[in-house]
């Protein structure tokens, strides 16, 4: 649908002329246009060599990636489950660290400000390690 631009004088002149003399197509106009369209050669889909290569290369690359993924999953054997028991030294270290951290939760004392918490944690860690 054509919209008329009211600011364009040429557009208004053309619209006035078309309104005063309506144009009627000839009797066989549609048949001639359809026959001419049928005579046109069909446009062939021309693909470049790169397009042909991509048409086959992308699925092949996807298959290779899936194959490598599946091979990796099938070849990896589950590792032996690590021994979940703790040694006495590990248990003692955990208990000492827990006791040291429990003391940090009570900050009512003004001598231990938030600025010195990191150094306190470092001192506790050093005490446990030594």
């Amino acid at each position: 649908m054509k919209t008329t631009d009211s600011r364009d004088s040429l557009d208004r002149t053309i619209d006035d002329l078309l309104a005063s003399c309506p144009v009627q197509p000839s009797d066989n106009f549609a048949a001639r246009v359809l026959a001419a369209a049928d005579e046109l050669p069909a446009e062939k889909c021309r693909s470049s060599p790169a397009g042909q290569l991509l048409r086959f290369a992308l699925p092949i690359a996807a298959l290779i990636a899936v194959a490598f993924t599946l091979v990796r999953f099938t070849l990896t054997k589950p590792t032996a489950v690590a021994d979940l028991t703790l040694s006495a030294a590990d248990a003692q270290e955990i208990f000492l660290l827990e006791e040291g951290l429990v003391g940090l939760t009570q900050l009512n004392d003004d001598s231990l400000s938030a600025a010195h918490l990191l150094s306190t944690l470092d001192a506790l860690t050093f005490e446990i390690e030594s």
Side-chain angles (χ1 to χ4, degrees):
M1 180 177 151
K2 180 184 176 301
T3 57
T4 303
D5 187 5
S6 60
R7 297 171 292 176
D8 188 6
S9 62
L10 178 63
D11 198 20
R12 281 185 300 203
T13 306
I14 292 172
D15 286 342
D16 292 340
L17 286 174
L18 287 174
S20 66
C21 299
V23 179
Q24 296 295 327
S26 61
D27 294 337
N28 59 355
F29 175 74
R32 286 183 307 165
V33 170
L34 290 174
D38 288 338
E39 291 174 5
L40 290 175
E43 189 174 317
K44 294 182 180 178
C45 180
R46 297 179 184 161
S47 60
S48 65
Q52 290 175 350
L53 179 67
L54 283 177
R55 183 187 315 172
F56 295 109
L58 288 178
I60 290 172
L63 285 175
I64 290 171
V66 168
F68 277 129
T69 304
L70 290 176
V71 166
R72 204 173 110 214
F73 283 130
T74 57
L75 291 181
T76 55
K77 295 179 183 174
T79 58
V81 178
D83 197 24
L84 297 178
T85 59
L86 294 175
S87 67
D90 290 339
Q92 184 179 8
E93 184 177 349
I94 291 172
F95 290 134
L96 288 174
L97 186 60
E98 184 181 7
E99 287 175 9
L101 291 175
V102 166
L104 292 176
T105 60
Q106 302 165 353
L107 296 178
N108 295 335
D109 191 11
D110 291 334
S111 64
L112 184 63
S113 66
H116 300 293
L117 285 178
L118 186 58
S119 59
T120 305
L121 184 60
D122 283 338
L124 287 173
T125 305
F126 178 72
E127 183 180 321
I128 291 172
E129 287 176 358
S130 58

